[in-house]
Each structure stands twice: as structure tokens, then as C-alpha cells.
């Protein structure tokens, strides 16, 4: 069942600028498993593409669920090696008033 559709596009140059000016950016945006994967990339261009793709995934998840309280560093992609399925794990931040 489809509950919502979200899409996001980001320019890699924007990610590069964020990395230059905000030292905590990676820890706010990437899950610990994604930071581990990122460290395996040797080329800077591939690192930027990886970060941008994860940012776009998480922004589109916010749009699809209509929930702006998704904690980005608690969202991660789980790709299966044996097929083409992708599982997205995420947590909501619930605010009680």
C-alpha cells in the first residue's frame, strides 16, 4: 500500500559547501552505518554523491510521510545483496504537547 510519494533533488555542490562550513553535518544527517560505508570510499566525488543521495532519500521520506519530525541520523538504507529490494529503517520524533 502506498501511503505517500516524495521526491527530492540536491546539487552535489550544496553538500560540498555544507561539509566545508559545518563540521557536525555528517553526524546530523548520516546514520552510523552510513558513516562507516562513507569511510570506505576513496574518491571525494563518490563521497559527495553518497552523502547527497542519502540526503535526498531522507528529504523525500519527510515529504512522503508528511512528517517533518523524522530524525535523519536514525534513517538508513538496508540494501540486500541477493536481490533488488531496499529496506528503509527510520524513526519518528514524537512531540507531545
Amino acid at each position: 500500500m502506498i501511503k505517500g510519494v516524495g521526491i527530492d533533488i540536491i546539487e552535489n555542490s550544496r553538500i560540498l559547501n555544507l561539509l566545508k562550513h559545518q563540521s557536525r553535518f555528517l553526524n546530523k544527517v548520516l546514520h552510523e552505518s552510513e558513516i562507516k560505508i562513507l569511510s570506505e570510499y576513496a574518491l571525494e566525488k563518490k563521497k559527495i554523491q553518497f552523502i547527497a543521495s542519502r540526503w535526498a532519500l531522507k528529504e523525500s521520506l519527510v515529504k512522503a510521510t508528511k512528517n517533518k519530525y523524522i530524525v535523519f541520523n536514525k534513517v538508513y538504507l538496508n540494501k540486500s545483496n541477493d536481490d533488488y529490494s531496499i529496506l528503509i529503517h527510520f524513526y519518528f520524533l514524537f512531540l507531545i504537547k
Side-chain angles (χ1 to χ4, degrees), residues 1 11 13 15 19 23 25 30 37 39 42 50 53 55 57 59 70 80 93-94:
M1 175 189 340
E11 292 185 30
S13 60
I15 295 295
L19 288 174
S23 60
F25 177 72
L30 297 181
I37 294 168
S39 68
F50 179 82
S53 69
W55 175 269
L57 164 79
E59 280 288 323
I70 292 177
S80 176
L93 175 64
F94 290 101

Side-chain angles (χ1 to χ4, degrees), residues 11-26:
E11 292 185 30
N12 290 350
S13 60
R14 182 172 172 218
I15 295 295
L16 185 58
N17 286 335
L18 285 170
L19 288 174
K20 287 180 182 178
H21 301 317
Q22 294 187 13
S23 60
R24 299 184 325 242
F25 177 72
L26 287 181

Side-chain angles (χ1 to χ4, degrees), residues 24-91:
R24 299 184 325 242
F25 177 72
L26 287 181
N27 291 327
K28 287 183 174 182
V29 173
L30 297 181
H31 185 269
E32 58 191 35
S33 65
E34 294 172 326
I35 292 174
K36 184 178 177 183
I37 294 168
L38 180 67
S39 68
E40 297 172 2
Y41 288 111
L43 296 175
E44 193 69 23
K45 182 178 179 180
K46 289 288 186 186
K47 289 182 179 185
I48 300 300
Q49 289 173 343
F50 179 82
I51 298 166
S53 69
R54 293 313 189 263
W55 175 269
L57 164 79
K58 295 167 187 192
E59 280 288 323
S60 64
L61 185 60
V62 168
K63 293 172 183 175
T65 61
K66 296 177 178 64
N67 186 325
K68 62 182 178 182
Y69 300 110
I70 292 177
V71 183
F72 275 25
N73 64 359
K74 299 295 183 195
V75 176
Y76 65 98
L77 227 57
N78 186 7
K79 292 184 181 181
S80 176
N81 291 335
D82 55 348
D83 60 22
Y84 293 102
S85 64
I86 296 174
L87 183 59
I88 301 169
H89 300 269
F90 66 96
Y91 300 91

